[in-house]
Amino acid sequence: MKPSPAFAVPKHQVFDVLELRKDFPVLLQKAHGKPLIYFDNAATSQKPQAVIHALTEYYSAYNANIHRGVHFLSQKASQAFDDVRGKVAKFIHAATEKEIIFVRGTTEGINLVAATFGRMNVKEGDEIVVSAMEHHSNIVPWQILCEEKKAILKVIPMDDDGVLDINAYASLLNSKTKLVSIVHTSNSLGTINPVKEIINLAHQKGIPVMIDAAQAIVHEPIDVHDLDCDFLAFSGHKMLGPTGIGVLYGKLQHLESMPPYQGGGEMIHSVSFKQTTYNEVPYKFEAGTPNIADVIALGTAIDYLNSLDRHAALNHELGLMEYASLKLSELEGVKLIGTAPEKASVVSFVIIGLNALDVGMYLDTMGVAVRTGHHCTEPVMDRFGIPGTIRASFMFYNTYAEVDVLIAGCEKSYCFIKMKTVTIPEIENEIIGEFELFDEWTEKYEYIIELGQKLPVLDEKYKIEENKIKGCQSSVWLHSEVREGKIYFEADSDSTFVKGEIALLIRVLSGQKPQDILDAQLGFIDAIGFRQHLAMTRANGLASMIKQMKLYALAHQSQQTA
Ligand code: PMP
């Protein structure tokens, strides 16, 4: 069935960003009253109307289970599903569509290889090589395998620009190395690795190589034949397709020798209690009813990408990245993280003295969607000695004007967050004013609960015994950090009311100098009626929190004067 022209993949004669944007309905909306600027493409891409239509069309016009149904709908669905395997094979230049296995995403693709090829080939004392810039999904499956087999995970180091040390890599390869698994393009740094050289070096020693192409697939043409990789995985949702579908490519000779991944329907040839035989590849690795709708829509995403001038799209994305990098590096306090010469359209940065999440939330108020944090690459953050970055990742549908809004937002956030000159008494007065709007304690109580619900989540790593506040009836964890002579608090509790109290205390005391924290009278607590309404245990808990914050201030102050 051919979709009506409004839903078909458009024919893009020339690369015109403003025209292309019209294919992506999400981009047309506003966020917080401002035009939405979507710079979180490395997390997931937006979907063109044709892909969205492919999903609804399947469910509304030919939803049926595939392969074993003889009826009209099943035949139609089977045909649409099967066609995509060939389309994917062609898209990445696989030798045959038997080399294409549908999985949930990159993560499942890597886990599949670890659980089958890995389990079959890795034994005690063997080694697996990954790099220092891997996504957690290309670390943890290998750690699990290594633990099970008593094997060793080796890590290729990188330099301060985020470039892998190829000499160190070459020296890691030896007769014990059973697999190299490497990211093509880093999601947190943007580095594009020299994968062809990496594969070549491993192959010279007969070592197979797996490529994590989660980021690369949408930006540049991937040719598995030319790369000569043994396995390669990617996710549909990062390449304009739906979530819940991805692809694992594997060389046929490997796939044929590998044991199955999961057992169930579809992956068997015949089942009896005496002996079960397995289906041929790729079905051997696809147990159960597959993700029919999403496979079909993935096919449409590929059609969409093929309809573009991909060279022009890539150039546009790189132009955005270079422009953003240049403009950001001109801003006071900005440090780019990931400055490799070969980079994809990802800009990761920190603003000295500012918390990445604070900046991310401030940019959000301007309609700009960026990602903040470790981006599932904690070892990368450890390597650079930072808790996280602010990451803007661009797609061909982004514009230079949007980058300008990001830059203006960063500049403003620096002034806005860093130059906090509001004094403790001023903030206390603000809070007193807010509480005066309520007549009843019930309303005040509800407001405190609301504040508690909005308190940012404290990272699990800070919920440790030494951060626990003694004297509180509920569990309360308080973490403090000093940046540029000011103390910043973060906290959490298992009680929402206590979280509300914490939110108020943090609002007053966080970001202040140690001496000001020590001098703070905190008269607002009486003024808003806490003392007369709080039960004794809660009042004691509140006093313990304040005491702990002041003790931190004292400790930091004596460190500064020591
Ligand atoms: N590898 C890289 C480089 C990624 O960026 C991601 C997603 N952020 C993954 C693997 C995992 O992809 P998925 O969550 O779609 O399985």
Side-chain angles (χ1 to χ4, degrees), residues 42-43 104-108 110 135 137-138 183 185-187 212 214-215 235 237-238 375-376 391:
R104 277 189 297 136
T106 312
T107 304
E108 191 176 37
I110 298 170
H135 188 276
S137 62
N138 198 25
V183 70
T185 299
S186 157
N187 64 314
D212 168 355
Q215 292 297 329
S235 305
H237 70 97
K238 295 194 199 267
H375 319 296
C376 292
R391 181 187 73 185

mmCIF file with all atom_site columns, all heavy atoms in Angstrom, residues 42-43 104-108 110 135 137-138 183 185-187 212 214-215 235 237-238 375-376 391, ligand 1:
data_model
loop_
_atom_site.group_PDB
_atom_site.id
_atom_site.type_symbol
_atom_site.label_atom_id
_atom_site.label_alt_id
_atom_site.label_comp_id
_atom_site.label_asym_id
_atom_site.label_entity_id
_atom_site.label_seq_id
_atom_site.pdbx_PDB_ins_code
_atom_site.Cartn_x
_atom_site.Cartn_y
_atom_site.Cartn_z
_atom_site.occupancy
_atom_site.B_iso_or_equiv
_atom_site.pdbx_formal_charge
_atom_site.auth_seq_id
_atom_site.auth_comp_id
_atom_site.auth_asym_id
_atom_site.auth_atom_id
_atom_site.pdbx_PDB_model_num
ATOM   1   N N   . ALA A 1 42  ? 21.810 13.127 20.103 1.00 0.00 ? 42  ALA A N   1
ATOM   2   C CA  . ALA A 1 42  ? 22.640 11.951 20.372 1.00 0.00 ? 42  ALA A CA  1
ATOM   3   C C   . ALA A 1 42  ? 21.899 10.987 21.290 1.00 0.00 ? 42  ALA A C   1
ATOM   4   O O   . ALA A 1 42  ? 22.170 9.787  21.305 1.00 0.00 ? 42  ALA A O   1
ATOM   5   C CB  . ALA A 1 42  ? 23.970 12.362 21.002 1.00 0.00 ? 42  ALA A CB  1
ATOM   6   N N   . ALA A 1 43  ? 20.949 11.516 22.070 1.00 0.00 ? 43  ALA A N   1
ATOM   7   C CA  . ALA A 1 43  ? 20.153 10.633 22.943 1.00 0.00 ? 43  ALA A CA  1
ATOM   8   C C   . ALA A 1 43  ? 19.095 9.928  22.102 1.00 0.00 ? 43  ALA A C   1
ATOM   9   O O   . ALA A 1 43  ? 18.931 8.714  22.174 1.00 0.00 ? 43  ALA A O   1
ATOM   10  C CB  . ALA A 1 43  ? 19.511 11.432 24.063 1.00 0.00 ? 43  ALA A CB  1
ATOM   11  N N   . ARG A 1 104 ? 16.652 -5.174 19.913 1.00 0.00 ? 104 ARG A N   1
ATOM   12  C CA  . ARG A 1 104 ? 15.968 -3.998 20.459 1.00 0.00 ? 104 ARG A CA  1
ATOM   13  C C   . ARG A 1 104 ? 16.761 -2.719 20.219 1.00 0.00 ? 104 ARG A C   1
ATOM   14  O O   . ARG A 1 104 ? 16.212 -1.630 20.185 1.00 0.00 ? 104 ARG A O   1
ATOM   15  C CB  . ARG A 1 104 ? 15.744 -4.169 21.962 1.00 0.00 ? 104 ARG A CB  1
ATOM   16  C CG  . ARG A 1 104 ? 14.499 -4.988 22.282 1.00 0.00 ? 104 ARG A CG  1
ATOM   17  C CD  . ARG A 1 104 ? 14.203 -4.937 23.757 1.00 0.00 ? 104 ARG A CD  1
ATOM   18  N NE  . ARG A 1 104 ? 15.296 -5.533 24.515 1.00 0.00 ? 104 ARG A NE  1
ATOM   19  C CZ  . ARG A 1 104 ? 15.815 -5.015 25.616 1.00 0.00 ? 104 ARG A CZ  1
ATOM   20  N NH1 . ARG A 1 104 ? 15.355 -3.897 26.107 1.00 0.00 ? 104 ARG A NH1 1
ATOM   21  N NH2 . ARG A 1 104 ? 16.794 -5.631 26.249 1.00 0.00 ? 104 ARG A NH2 1
ATOM   22  N N   . GLY A 1 105 ? 18.071 -2.837 20.132 1.00 0.00 ? 105 GLY A N   1
ATOM   23  C CA  . GLY A 1 105 ? 18.907 -1.650 19.952 1.00 0.00 ? 105 GLY A CA  1
ATOM   24  C C   . GLY A 1 105 ? 20.366 -2.039 20.070 1.00 0.00 ? 105 GLY A C   1
ATOM   25  O O   . GLY A 1 105 ? 20.705 -3.229 20.168 1.00 0.00 ? 105 GLY A O   1
ATOM   26  N N   . THR A 1 106 ? 21.215 -1.041 20.090 1.00 0.00 ? 106 THR A N   1
ATOM   27  C CA  . THR A 1 106 ? 22.660 -1.287 20.199 1.00 0.00 ? 106 THR A CA  1
ATOM   28  C C   . THR A 1 106 ? 22.970 -2.132 21.431 1.00 0.00 ? 106 THR A C   1
ATOM   29  O O   . THR A 1 106 ? 23.755 -3.075 21.380 1.00 0.00 ? 106 THR A O   1
ATOM   30  C CB  . THR A 1 106 ? 23.396 0.066  20.320 1.00 0.00 ? 106 THR A CB  1
ATOM   31  O OG1 . THR A 1 106 ? 22.905 0.933  19.308 1.00 0.00 ? 106 THR A OG1 1
ATOM   32  C CG2 . THR A 1 106 ? 24.881 -0.108 20.182 1.00 0.00 ? 106 THR A CG2 1
ATOM   33  N N   . THR A 1 107 ? 22.335 -1.775 22.541 1.00 0.00 ? 107 THR A N   1
ATOM   34  C CA  . THR A 1 107 ? 22.608 -2.470 23.802 1.00 0.00 ? 107 THR A CA  1
ATOM   35  C C   . THR A 1 107 ? 22.345 -3.964 23.644 1.00 0.00 ? 107 THR A C   1
ATOM   36  O O   . THR A 1 107 ? 23.170 -4.790 24.047 1.00 0.00 ? 107 THR A O   1
ATOM   37  C CB  . THR A 1 107 ? 21.700 -1.893 24.913 1.00 0.00 ? 107 THR A CB  1
ATOM   38  O OG1 . THR A 1 107 ? 21.926 -0.494 24.978 1.00 0.00 ? 107 THR A OG1 1
ATOM   39  C CG2 . THR A 1 107 ? 21.986 -2.527 26.256 1.00 0.00 ? 107 THR A CG2 1
ATOM   40  N N   . GLU A 1 108 ? 21.199 -4.306 23.061 1.00 0.00 ? 108 GLU A N   1
ATOM   41  C CA  . GLU A 1 108 ? 20.912 -5.729 22.925 1.00 0.00 ? 108 GLU A CA  1
ATOM   42  C C   . GLU A 1 108 ? 21.854 -6.389 21.923 1.00 0.00 ? 108 GLU A C   1
ATOM   43  O O   . GLU A 1 108 ? 22.262 -7.535 22.100 1.00 0.00 ? 108 GLU A O   1
ATOM   44  C CB  . GLU A 1 108 ? 19.458 -5.979 22.513 1.00 0.00 ? 108 GLU A CB  1
ATOM   45  C CG  . GLU A 1 108 ? 19.144 -7.455 22.650 1.00 0.00 ? 108 GLU A CG  1
ATOM   46  C CD  . GLU A 1 108 ? 17.698 -7.814 22.367 1.00 0.00 ? 108 GLU A CD  1
ATOM   47  O OE1 . GLU A 1 108 ? 17.091 -7.213 21.471 1.00 0.00 ? 108 GLU A OE1 1
ATOM   48  O OE2 . GLU A 1 108 ? 17.188 -8.716 23.039 1.00 0.00 ? 108 GLU A OE2 1
ATOM   49  N N   . ILE A 1 110 ? 24.997 -5.735 21.408 1.00 0.00 ? 110 ILE A N   1
ATOM   50  C CA  . ILE A 1 110 ? 26.283 -6.021 22.069 1.00 0.00 ? 110 ILE A CA  1
ATOM   51  C C   . ILE A 1 110 ? 26.100 -7.173 23.066 1.00 0.00 ? 110 ILE A C   1
ATOM   52  O O   . ILE A 1 110 ? 26.930 -8.088 23.121 1.00 0.00 ? 110 ILE A O   1
ATOM   53  C CB  . ILE A 1 110 ? 26.827 -4.749 22.766 1.00 0.00 ? 110 ILE A CB  1
ATOM   54  C CG1 . ILE A 1 110 ? 27.075 -3.659 21.729 1.00 0.00 ? 110 ILE A CG1 1
ATOM   55  C CG2 . ILE A 1 110 ? 28.106 -5.070 23.541 1.00 0.00 ? 110 ILE A CG2 1
ATOM   56  C CD1 . ILE A 1 110 ? 27.391 -2.281 22.293 1.00 0.00 ? 110 ILE A CD1 1
ATOM   57  N N   . HIS A 1 135 ? 30.466 3.773  25.685 1.00 0.00 ? 135 HIS A N   1
ATOM   58  C CA  . HIS A 1 135 ? 29.167 3.892  26.360 1.00 0.00 ? 135 HIS A CA  1
ATOM   59  C C   . HIS A 1 135 ? 29.075 2.705  27.321 1.00 0.00 ? 135 HIS A C   1
ATOM   60  O O   . HIS A 1 135 ? 29.651 1.643  27.056 1.00 0.00 ? 135 HIS A O   1
ATOM   61  C CB  . HIS A 1 135 ? 28.078 3.801  25.290 1.00 0.00 ? 135 HIS A CB  1
ATOM   62  C CG  . HIS A 1 135 ? 26.693 4.075  25.753 1.00 0.00 ? 135 HIS A CG  1
ATOM   63  N ND1 . HIS A 1 135 ? 25.911 3.117  26.338 1.00 0.00 ? 135 HIS A ND1 1
ATOM   64  C CD2 . HIS A 1 135 ? 25.936 5.194  25.708 1.00 0.00 ? 135 HIS A CD2 1
ATOM   65  C CE1 . HIS A 1 135 ? 24.735 3.636  26.632 1.00 0.00 ? 135 HIS A CE1 1
ATOM   66  N NE2 . HIS A 1 135 ? 24.719 4.904  26.257 1.00 0.00 ? 135 HIS A NE2 1
ATOM   67  N N   . SER A 1 137 ? 26.997 0.587  27.624 1.00 0.00 ? 137 SER A N   1
ATOM   68  C CA  . SER A 1 137 ? 26.502 -0.630 26.976 1.00 0.00 ? 137 SER A CA  1
ATOM   69  C C   . SER A 1 137 ? 27.599 -1.384 26.234 1.00 0.00 ? 137 SER A C   1
ATOM   70  O O   . SER A 1 137 ? 27.398 -2.524 25.836 1.00 0.00 ? 137 SER A O   1
ATOM   71  C CB  . SER A 1 137 ? 25.349 -0.305 26.023 1.00 0.00 ? 137 SER A CB  1
ATOM   72  O OG  . SER A 1 137 ? 25.810 0.552  25.017 1.00 0.00 ? 137 SER A OG  1
ATOM   73  N N   . ASN A 1 138 ? 28.757 -0.756 26.040 1.00 0.00 ? 138 ASN A N   1
ATOM   74  C CA  . ASN A 1 138 ? 29.879 -1.487 25.454 1.00 0.00 ? 138 ASN A CA  1
ATOM   75  C C   . ASN A 1 138 ? 30.971 -1.731 26.504 1.00 0.00 ? 138 ASN A C   1
ATOM   76  O O   . ASN A 1 138 ? 32.129 -1.946 26.173 1.00 0.00 ? 138 ASN A O   1
ATOM   77  C CB  . ASN A 1 138 ? 30.449 -0.737 24.242 1.00 0.00 ? 138 ASN A CB  1
ATOM   78  C CG  . ASN A 1 138 ? 31.297 -1.646 23.362 1.00 0.00 ? 138 ASN A CG  1
ATOM   79  O OD1 . ASN A 1 138 ? 31.123 -2.877 23.350 1.00 0.00 ? 138 ASN A OD1 1
ATOM   80  N ND2 . ASN A 1 138 ? 32.238 -1.064 22.649 1.00 0.00 ? 138 ASN A ND2 1
ATOM   81  N N   . VAL A 1 183 ? 33.763 1.760  20.044 1.00 0.00 ? 183 VAL A N   1
ATOM   82  C CA  . VAL A 1 183 ? 32.738 2.693  19.577 1.00 0.00 ? 183 VAL A CA  1
ATOM   83  C C   . VAL A 1 183 ? 33.248 3.417  18.327 1.00 0.00 ? 183 VAL A C   1
ATOM   84  O O   . VAL A 1 183 ? 34.396 3.848  18.270 1.00 0.00 ? 183 VAL A O   1
ATOM   85  C CB  . VAL A 1 183 ? 32.356 3.681  20.708 1.00 0.00 ? 183 VAL A CB  1
ATOM   86  C CG1 . VAL A 1 183 ? 33.460 4.669  21.027 1.00 0.00 ? 183 VAL A CG1 1
ATOM   87  C CG2 . VAL A 1 183 ? 31.076 4.410  20.382 1.00 0.00 ? 183 VAL A CG2 1
ATOM   88  N N   . THR A 1 185 ? 31.791 6.265  17.006 1.00 0.00 ? 185 THR A N   1
ATOM   89  C CA  . THR A 1 185 ? 31.723 7.703  17.282 1.00 0.00 ? 185 THR A CA  1
ATOM   90  C C   . THR A 1 185 ? 31.235 7.877  18.715 1.00 0.00 ? 185 THR A C   1
ATOM   91  O O   . THR A 1 185 ? 30.174 7.363  19.072 1.00 0.00 ? 185 THR A O   1
ATOM   92  C CB  . THR A 1 185 ? 30.742 8.368  16.294 1.00 0.00 ? 185 THR A CB  1
ATOM   93  O OG1 . THR A 1 185 ? 31.231 8.159  14.966 1.00 0.00 ? 185 THR A OG1 1
ATOM   94  C CG2 . THR A 1 185 ? 30.599 9.848  16.558 1.00 0.00 ? 185 THR A CG2 1
ATOM   95  N N   . SER A 1 186 ? 32.022 8.595  19.504 1.00 0.00 ? 186 SER A N   1
ATOM   96  C CA  . SER A 1 186 ? 31.684 8.727  20.927 1.00 0.00 ? 186 SER A CA  1
ATOM   97  C C   . SER A 1 186 ? 30.478 9.641  21.138 1.00 0.00 ? 186 SER A C   1
ATOM   98  O O   . SER A 1 186 ? 30.427 10.741 20.581 1.00 0.00 ? 186 SER A O   1
ATOM   99  C CB  . SER A 1 186 ? 32.895 9.284  21.682 1.00 0.00 ? 186 SER A CB  1
ATOM   100 O OG  . SER A 1 186 ? 32.467 9.903  22.873 1.00 0.00 ? 186 SER A OG  1
ATOM   101 N N   . ASN A 1 187 ? 29.558 9.195  21.965 1.00 0.00 ? 187 ASN A N   1
ATOM   102 C CA  . ASN A 1 187 ? 28.362 10.011 22.223 1.00 0.00 ? 187 ASN A CA  1
ATOM   103 C C   . ASN A 1 187 ? 28.634 11.162 23.165 1.00 0.00 ? 187 ASN A C   1
ATOM   104 O O   . ASN A 1 187 ? 27.924 12.161 23.133 1.00 0.00 ? 187 ASN A O   1
ATOM   105 C CB  . ASN A 1 187 ? 27.223 9.145  22.790 1.00 0.00 ? 187 ASN A CB  1
ATOM   106 C CG  . ASN A 1 187 ? 27.573 8.563  24.132 1.00 0.00 ? 187 ASN A CG  1
ATOM   107 O OD1 . ASN A 1 187 ? 28.662 8.036  24.323 1.00 0.00 ? 187 ASN A OD1 1
ATOM   108 N ND2 . ASN A 1 187 ? 26.675 8.649  25.083 1.00 0.00 ? 187 ASN A ND2 1
ATOM   109 N N   . ASP A 1 212 ? 30.447 -0.448 17.715 1.00 0.00 ? 212 ASP A N   1
ATOM   110 C CA  . ASP A 1 212 ? 29.236 0.193  18.229 1.00 0.00 ? 212 ASP A CA  1
ATOM   111 C C   . ASP A 1 212 ? 28.990 1.419  17.349 1.00 0.00 ? 212 ASP A C   1
ATOM   112 O O   . ASP A 1 212 ? 29.674 2.428  17.468 1.00 0.00 ? 212 ASP A O   1
ATOM   113 C CB  . ASP A 1 212 ? 29.476 0.584  19.698 1.00 0.00 ? 212 ASP A CB  1
ATOM   114 C CG  . ASP A 1 212 ? 28.392 1.511  20.241 1.00 0.00 ? 212 ASP A CG  1
ATOM   115 O OD1 . ASP A 1 212 ? 27.520 1.930  19.464 1.00 0.00 ? 212 ASP A OD1 1
ATOM   116 O OD2 . ASP A 1 212 ? 28.439 1.814  21.446 1.00 0.00 ? 212 ASP A OD2 1
ATOM   117 N N   . ALA A 1 214 ? 26.156 3.161  17.175 1.00 0.00 ? 214 ALA A N   1
ATOM   118 C CA  . ALA A 1 214 ? 24.918 3.826  17.624 1.00 0.00 ? 214 ALA A CA  1
ATOM   119 C C   . ALA A 1 214 ? 24.875 5.286  17.180 1.00 0.00 ? 214 ALA A C   1
ATOM   120 O O   . ALA A 1 214 ? 23.839 5.765  16.727 1.00 0.00 ? 214 ALA A O   1
ATOM   121 C CB  . ALA A 1 214 ? 24.798 3.727  19.144 1.00 0.00 ? 214 ALA A CB  1
ATOM   122 N N   . GLN A 1 215 ? 26.001 5.988  17.314 1.00 0.00 ? 215 GLN A N   1
ATOM   123 C CA  . GLN A 1 215 ? 26.008 7.406  16.940 1.00 0.00 ? 215 GLN A CA  1
ATOM   124 C C   . GLN A 1 215 ? 26.324 7.607  15.471 1.00 0.00 ? 215 GLN A C   1
ATOM   125 O O   . GLN A 1 215 ? 25.790 8.505  14.829 1.00 0.00 ? 215 GLN A O   1
ATOM   126 C CB  . GLN A 1 215 ? 27.057 8.171  17.778 1.00 0.00 ? 215 GLN A CB  1
ATOM   127 C CG  . GLN A 1 215 ? 26.727 8.271  19.241 1.00 0.00 ? 215 GLN A CG  1
ATOM   128 C CD  . GLN A 1 215 ? 25.451 9.052  19.510 1.00 0.00 ? 215 GLN A CD  1
ATOM   129 O OE1 . GLN A 1 215 ? 25.092 9.972  18.768 1.00 0.00 ? 215 GLN A OE1 1
ATOM   130 N NE2 . GLN A 1 215 ? 24.731 8.673  20.550 1.00 0.00 ? 215 GLN A NE2 1
ATOM   131 N N   . SER A 1 235 ? 21.071 1.459  16.705 1.00 0.00 ? 235 SER A N   1
ATOM   132 C CA  . SER A 1 235 ? 19.697 1.576  17.210 1.00 0.00 ? 235 SER A CA  1
ATOM   133 C C   . SER A 1 235 ? 18.847 2.379  16.235 1.00 0.00 ? 235 SER A C   1
ATOM   134 O O   . SER A 1 235 ? 19.286 3.433  15.748 1.00 0.00 ? 235 SER A O   1
ATOM   135 C CB  . SER A 1 235 ? 19.684 2.333  18.540 1.00 0.00 ? 235 SER A CB  1
ATOM   136 O OG  . SER A 1 235 ? 20.548 1.725  19.462 1.00 0.00 ? 235 SER A OG  1
ATOM   137 N N   . HIS A 1 237 ? 16.237 4.225  16.917 1.00 0.00 ? 237 HIS A N   1
ATOM   138 C CA  . HIS A 1 237 ? 15.744 5.517  17.393 1.00 0.00 ? 237 HIS A CA  1
ATOM   139 C C   . HIS A 1 237 ? 16.737 6.651  17.238 1.00 0.00 ? 237 HIS A C   1
ATOM   140 O O   . HIS A 1 237 ? 16.379 7.817  17.337 1.00 0.00 ? 237 HIS A O   1
ATOM   141 C CB  . HIS A 1 237 ? 15.286 5.407  18.859 1.00 0.00 ? 237 HIS A CB  1
ATOM   142 C CG  . HIS A 1 237 ? 16.401 5.227  19.842 1.00 0.00 ? 237 HIS A CG  1
ATOM   143 N ND1 . HIS A 1 237 ? 16.934 6.278  20.527 1.00 0.00 ? 237 HIS A ND1 1
ATOM   144 C CD2 . HIS A 1 237 ? 17.076 4.122  20.242 1.00 0.00 ? 237 HIS A CD2 1
ATOM   145 C CE1 . HIS A 1 237 ? 17.892 5.818  21.332 1.00 0.00 ? 237 HIS A CE1 1
ATOM   146 N NE2 . HIS A 1 237 ? 17.991 4.519  21.180 1.00 0.00 ? 237 HIS A NE2 1
ATOM   147 N N   . LYS A 1 238 ? 18.012 6.317  16.982 1.00 0.00 ? 238 LYS A N   1
ATOM   148 C CA  . LYS A 1 238 ? 18.999 7.384  16.800 1.00 0.00 ? 238 LYS A CA  1
ATOM   149 C C   . LYS A 1 238 ? 19.149 7.732  15.321 1.00 0.00 ? 238 LYS A C   1
ATOM   150 O O   . LYS A 1 238 ? 19.950 8.574  14.951 1.00 0.00 ? 238 LYS A O   1
ATOM   151 C CB  . LYS A 1 238 ? 20.343 6.957  17.368 1.00 0.00 ? 238 LYS A CB  1
ATOM   152 C CG  . LYS A 1 238 ? 20.297 6.772  18.890 1.00 0.00 ? 238 LYS A CG  1
ATOM   153 C CD  . LYS A 1 238 ? 21.663 6.694  19.476 1.00 0.00 ? 238 LYS A CD  1
ATOM   154 C CE  . LYS A 1 238 ? 21.657 6.082  20.841 1.00 0.00 ? 238 LYS A CE  1
ATOM   155 N NZ  . LYS A 1 238 ? 21.556 7.068  21.903 1.00 0.00 ? 238 LYS A NZ  1
ATOM   156 N N   . HIS A 1 375 ? 26.203 11.058 30.479 1.00 0.00 ? 375 HIS A N   1
ATOM   157 C CA  . HIS A 1 375 ? 25.830 10.507 29.172 1.00 0.00 ? 375 HIS A CA  1
ATOM   158 C C   . HIS A 1 375 ? 26.141 9.013  29.063 1.00 0.00 ? 375 HIS A C   1
ATOM   159 O O   . HIS A 1 375 ? 26.568 8.524  28.000 1.00 0.00 ? 375 HIS A O   1
ATOM   160 C CB  . HIS A 1 375 ? 26.512 11.281 28.029 1.00 0.00 ? 375 HIS A CB  1
ATOM   161 C CG  . HIS A 1 375 ? 26.538 12.755 28.236 1.00 0.00 ? 375 HIS A CG  1
ATOM   162 N ND1 . HIS A 1 375 ? 25.394 13.523 28.286 1.00 0.00 ? 375 HIS A ND1 1
ATOM   163 C CD2 . HIS A 1 375 ? 27.563 13.618 28.462 1.00 0.00 ? 375 HIS A CD2 1
ATOM   164 C CE1 . HIS A 1 375 ? 25.720 14.779 28.521 1.00 0.00 ? 375 HIS A CE1 1
ATOM   165 N NE2 . HIS A 1 375 ? 27.037 14.863 28.647 1.00 0.00 ? 375 HIS A NE2 1
ATOM   166 N N   . CYS A 1 376 ? 25.967 8.282  30.150 1.00 0.00 ? 376 CYS A N   1
ATOM   167 C CA  . CYS A 1 376 ? 26.256 6.837  30.177 1.00 0.00 ? 376 CYS A CA  1
ATOM   168 C C   . CYS A 1 376 ? 27.699 6.544  29.798 1.00 0.00 ? 376 CYS A C   1
ATOM   169 O O   . CYS A 1 376 ? 27.988 5.509  29.181 1.00 0.00 ? 376 CYS A O   1
ATOM   170 C CB  . CYS A 1 376 ? 25.315 6.045  29.268 1.00 0.00 ? 376 CYS A CB  1
ATOM   171 S SG  . CYS A 1 376 ? 23.648 6.044  29.867 1.00 0.00 ? 376 CYS A SG  1
ATOM   172 N N   . ARG A 1 391 ? 25.789 18.791 26.989 1.00 0.00 ? 391 ARG A N   1
ATOM   173 C CA  . ARG A 1 391 ? 26.046 18.278 25.629 1.00 0.00 ? 391 ARG A CA  1
ATOM   174 C C   . ARG A 1 391 ? 24.965 18.760 24.667 1.00 0.00 ? 391 ARG A C   1
ATOM   175 O O   . ARG A 1 391 ? 23.784 18.560 24.896 1.00 0.00 ? 391 ARG A O   1
ATOM   176 C CB  . ARG A 1 391 ? 26.070 16.753 25.634 1.00 0.00 ? 391 ARG A CB  1
ATOM   177 C CG  . ARG A 1 391 ? 26.344 16.156 24.257 1.00 0.00 ? 391 ARG A CG  1
ATOM   178 C CD  . ARG A 1 391 ? 26.185 14.647 24.252 1.00 0.00 ? 391 ARG A CD  1
ATOM   179 N NE  . ARG A 1 391 ? 24.791 14.265 24.332 1.00 0.00 ? 391 ARG A NE  1
ATOM   180 C CZ  . ARG A 1 391 ? 24.351 13.007 24.451 1.00 0.00 ? 391 ARG A CZ  1
ATOM   181 N NH1 . ARG A 1 391 ? 25.228 12.020 24.525 1.00 0.00 ? 391 ARG A NH1 1
ATOM   182 N NH2 . ARG A 1 391 ? 23.071 12.739 24.503 1.00 0.00 ? 391 ARG A NH2 1
HETATM 183 N N1  . PMP B 2 .   ? 26.512 3.257  22.270 1.00 0.00 ? 1   PMP B N1  1
HETATM 184 C C1  . PMP B 2 .   ? 26.507 4.580  22.078 1.00 0.00 ? 1   PMP B C1  1
HETATM 185 C C2  . PMP B 2 .   ? 27.739 5.252  21.554 1.00 0.00 ? 1   PMP B C2  1
HETATM 186 C C3  . PMP B 2 .   ? 25.366 5.311  22.376 1.00 0.00 ? 1   PMP B C3  1
HETATM 187 O O1  . PMP B 2 .   ? 25.370 6.637  22.190 1.00 0.00 ? 1   PMP B O1  1
HETATM 188 C C4  . PMP B 2 .   ? 24.231 4.648  22.860 1.00 0.00 ? 1   PMP B C4  1
HETATM 189 C C5  . PMP B 2 .   ? 22.973 5.413  23.224 1.00 0.00 ? 1   PMP B C5  1
HETATM 190 N N2  . PMP B 2 .   ? 23.204 6.595  23.905 1.00 0.00 ? 1   PMP B N2  1
HETATM 191 C C6  . PMP B 2 .   ? 24.278 3.267  23.014 1.00 0.00 ? 1   PMP B C6  1
HETATM 192 C C7  . PMP B 2 .   ? 25.435 2.614  22.712 1.00 0.00 ? 1   PMP B C7  1
HETATM 193 C C8  . PMP B 2 .   ? 23.100 2.488  23.516 1.00 0.00 ? 1   PMP B C8  1
HETATM 194 O O2  . PMP B 2 .   ? 22.058 2.578  22.608 1.00 0.00 ? 1   PMP B O2  1
HETATM 195 P P1  . PMP B 2 .   ? 20.600 2.028  23.001 1.00 0.00 ? 1   PMP B P1  1
HETATM 196 O O3  . PMP B 2 .   ? 20.279 2.629  24.322 1.00 0.00 ? 1   PMP B O3  1
HETATM 197 O O4  . PMP B 2 .   ? 19.725 2.542  21.916 1.00 0.00 ? 1   PMP B O4  1
HETATM 198 O O5  . PMP B 2 .   ? 20.681 0.553  23.056 1.00 0.00 ? 1   PMP B O5  1
#
